[in-house]
Amino acid sequence: MKIFTSTQIQELDKYTQEHEPIRSIDLMERAAKALAGVICERWPQSMSVVVFAGPGNNGGDALAVARLMAEQGYKVSAYLFNIHHALSSDCAANKQRLMGCKRLDSFTEISVNFDPPVLDEHTLVVDGLFGAGLNKPLSGGFSSLVKYINQCPAQVVSIDLPSGLMPEDNTYSIRANIIRANLTLTFQQKKLAMMFADNQPYLGELKVLDIRLSPEFIAQKDTPFRIAEESEMRAIVRRRDDFAHKGDMGNALIVAGSYGMSGAAILATRACLRSGVGKVTVLAPKRNYAVMQMAVPEAVMLLDHEEKHFSEAVDTEDFDALGIGPGLGRHESTAIAMIAQLRRAHCPAVVDADALNILANHRAWMQQLPKGVILTPHPKEFDRLSGIVSNGCYERLNKARELARQLQAYIVLKGHYSALCMPDGHVVFNPTGNAGMATAGSGDVLTGIITALLARGYSQEHACLLGMYLHGLAGDLAVKELGMESLIASDLVDWLPRAFRRLDDSSDNS
């Protein structure tokens, strides 16, 4: 699913009107029917409905919803804010239609002063003040109204976007002046702002409504942002040849674990093995030998000469992929060995966890990373890598895009919607996963999965996309049985086989 900018959204609306063809007022009515259908399905007629409409097309949508809900038997009070006496043409047309609705409880047009109605727990607020066209923070009377709505116990459903939230960049938004919706009903596609953790408190539950905007425009228009889809992942998955042997399935090297942190190496190695690789070799300090042999007997052990930490790079000519970082520690000799290992890498590499922290402490070393390297930081790790704490998720994503371009690297910025930032500036968000995966070791599992896929011969782009998707899908499948509170990282490894089966069209998924 593509994610369009606010400018492209306007172009999509216009293209649909010209090529369907359909009048803008009729397209607005189509959208309003979709909105009213969901709202009427969710809330009973016993709820009092208060509709707040702004002067633009978002307000026109809201007025049309008010009319449709009144015709369905809801007690609806509508308030149209026309401070500057300048309604959009479709908003003005829907105002006239609403005023002709005999079943409407009340209609008030505000041009100067406003005495807000009581919004109690039996009230449903429909927020249609401002949508995707907003380009500056709310202020004045509108900010006061937003604060009033937010402090009331009423349920709130926002049309397209919660008023006050901008479709892309909210770095300098005034957070107190943004509607906190219980449900956001957006049109056709998600907006970029909806992918960021710091905007989730305002969106509530998010539902995308298909209002049949031009599929031709959507297919042809390029955008740097999109969301991965299951059909795409199914097409990426490689089928194992009937006569394959382990030599055909790739040989992965995992450099992970220090004394007391062997668990990270175990998780990464088990995930690697569960992701279809033919052979995994683990480079670990001597003290981790026994626990690794017992926990992962399928792995081949390669021992560092140090007892407790990784200290010496090894040749990678016999390996098809390298995963480095989980539980590695930050000993100075480990840091030197880590960058030496990456410089000597003759295969694609995944850099995670302590390897990222080492790079953050030696930022000049990043210029020595091989082209095509995969970095998998969580937000705090990325801020340490960039050297500056980001002012919100949008700014962090832009920094990650720029760093990916500079290094010609693939950066997986981990989160609820993990974002793959590619060297060409494109970003793909991963839709799978859940809050139960916010547990120690989840990132180590992802490292193992991506390393295995690289060893199998997937490109960096496909290994990252499929790795993120499978990682989150395993979490989603596990949560159905275990629940979020009890999920641990090893559960992700245990559910990986089911995640693979889900994407395998040839298997019986019943």
Side-chain angles (χ1 to χ4, degrees):
M1 177 187 290
K2 294 180 179 178
I3 300 175
F4 289 142
T5 64
S6 53
T7 301
Q8 290 175 318
I9 291 168
Q10 293 173 359
E11 293 172 359
L12 172 57
D13 281 348
K14 185 178 180 181
Y15 187 94
T16 301
Q17 292 164 32
E18 293 174 351
H19 290 80
E20 187 170 332
I22 183 172
R23 296 187 305 159
S24 60
I25 188 68
D26 294 330
L27 183 58
M28 185 173 284
E29 187 74 5
R30 181 192 293 174
K33 286 179 179 178
L35 291 163
V38 173
I39 296 171
C40 292
E41 196 175 84
R42 293 284 184 102
W43 283 279
Q45 291 185 0
S46 58
M47 295 285 284
S48 295
V49 180
V50 175
V51 176
F52 293 119
N57 284 346
N58 194 252
D61 291 329
L63 296 177
V65 168
R67 169 173 46 82
L68 292 170
M69 292 189 71
E71 290 171 352
Q72 289 293 317
Y74 286 82
K75 182 182 178 182
V76 179
S77 300
Y79 295 86
L80 172 61
F81 292 85
N82 190 11
I83 310 300
H84 301 293
H85 303 283
L87 301 178
S88 73
S89 59
D90 288 341
C91 184
N94 267 308
K95 168 191 166 183
Q96 295 304 316
R97 290 182 179 183
L98 182 61
M99 292 176 67
C101 177
K102 297 180 180 179
R103 302 190 69 176
L104 184 70
D105 195 61
S106 67
F107 172 77
T108 306
E109 186 169 358
I110 298 99
S111 58
V112 185
N113 297 318
F114 173 55
D115 185 19
V118 174
L119 305 176
D120 60 23
E121 64 272 17
H122 303 296
T123 303
L124 173 65
V125 172
V126 176
D127 161 35
L129 294 171
F130 299 96
L134 189 69
N135 57 14
K136 62 181 179 179
L138 296 184
S139 59
F142 285 116
S143 65
S144 298
L145 175 58
V146 166
K147 290 172 183 174
Y148 174 71
I149 293 171
N150 285 344
Q151 60 89 32
C152 290
Q155 295 280 295
V156 181
V157 56
S158 287
I159 295 174
D160 205 24
L161 274 169
S163 293
L165 189 70
M166 284 172 271
E168 287 102 37
D169 184 4
N170 286 276
T171 303
Y172 302 105
S173 295
I174 301 170
R175 296 285 164 167
N177 297 349
I178 302 174
I179 288 285
R180 289 179 175 266
N182 300 96
L183 172 66
T184 299
L185 299 175
T186 198
F187 300 128
Q188 207 65 45
Q189 297 156 313
K190 292 180 179 178
K191 279 66 176 175
L192 184 61
M194 295 172 175
M195 310 310 294
F196 300 136
D198 48 10
N199 295 329
Q200 298 313 304
Y202 309 101
L203 295 167
E205 181 188 350
L206 177 62
K207 187 175 178 64
V208 180
L209 303 182
D210 182 2
I211 58 170
R212 306 195 303 281
L213 297 179
S214 172
E216 180 184 19
F217 180 96
I218 293 171
Q220 293 177 355
K221 193 70 173 180
D222 188 34
T223 172
F225 306 105
R226 65 183 176 87
I227 302 170
E229 299 183 51
E230 184 167 309
S231 59
E232 177 187 4
M233 298 304 107
R234 287 177 182 269
I236 289 174
V237 172
R238 295 186 171 198
R239 271 58 185 180
R240 188 175 292 236
D241 185 88
D242 288 344
F243 291 88
H245 57 82
K246 69 180 181 182
D248 299 327
M249 295 295 102
N251 186 6
L253 173 64
I254 300 287
V255 182
S258 54
Y259 183 61
M261 291 293 290
S262 58
I266 291 167
L267 287 168
T269 305
R270 290 188 62 225
C272 194
L273 287 162
R274 281 293 190 192
S275 299
V277 72
K279 181 180 177 183
V280 178
T281 299
V282 183
L283 176 55
K286 290 179 180 178
R287 286 281 187 96
N288 285 0
Y289 175 76
V291 67
M292 289 296 300
Q293 286 287 72
M294 288 187 288
V296 197
E298 299 91 346
V300 176
M301 293 302 300
L302 185 62
L303 296 181
D304 193 280
H305 70 268
E306 285 286 348
E307 289 283 326
K308 296 184 178 181
H309 61 268
F310 166 58
S311 68
E312 188 175 359
V314 297
D315 189 78
T316 60
E317 285 191 2
D318 293 333
F319 298 103
D320 300 300
L322 164 67
I324 185 168
L328 206 61
R330 304 186 206 179
H331 193 282
E332 189 56 33
S333 63
T334 297
I336 294 169
M338 187 277 296
I339 192 62
Q341 186 68 76
L342 287 170
R343 282 201 304 259
R344 291 177 59 177
H346 297 286
C347 57
V350 185
V351 182
D352 184 36
D354 280 334
L356 294 172
N357 292 324
I358 289 169
L359 287 173
N361 291 331
H362 303 80
R363 295 182 61 236
W365 289 359
M366 286 197 285
Q367 302 307 317
Q368 302 179 41
L369 295 174
K371 286 187 177 181
V373 69
I374 298 169
L375 310 179
T376 60
H378 58 58
K380 287 187 177 180
E381 287 172 338
F382 180 80
D383 285 351
R384 289 195 287 269
L385 274 178
S386 68
I388 302 173
V389 176
S390 298
N391 187 12
C393 296
Y394 179 83
E395 183 176 283
R396 184 178 294 112
L397 180 70
N398 278 341
K399 287 180 181 177
R401 293 177 70 200
E402 182 57 32
L403 186 61
R405 278 193 288 255
Q406 287 176 4
L407 300 178
Q408 287 296 290
Y410 294 81
I411 298 179
V412 177
L413 192 56
K414 293 184 286 195
H416 181 77
Y417 292 112
S418 291
L420 170 60
C421 302
M422 293 188 279
D424 63 1
H426 283 77
V427 177
V428 185
F429 292 95
N430 179 59
T432 60
N434 57 79
M437 296 170 66
T439 183
S442 287
D444 304 326
V445 174
L446 178 62
T447 297
I449 297 171
I450 296 176
T451 303
L453 296 174
L454 289 172
R456 284 286 315 276
Y458 288 84
S459 67
Q460 282 94 331
E461 178 182 346
H462 284 176
C464 290
L465 288 175
L466 187 56
M468 291 191 303
Y469 196 92
L470 286 164
H471 182 247
L473 181 57
D476 290 339
L477 295 171
V479 155
K480 290 180 181 179
E481 185 169 327
L482 303 176
M484 288 191 186
E485 299 306 320
S486 296
L487 191 72
I488 58 175
S490 57
D491 296 326
L492 303 178
V493 180
D494 293 339
W495 259 264
L496 265 175
R498 292 177 228 192
F500 272 98
R501 287 193 65 217
R502 168 77 170 265
L503 297 183
D504 185 357
D505 288 322
S506 65
S507 67
D508 180 11
N509 291 317
S510 61

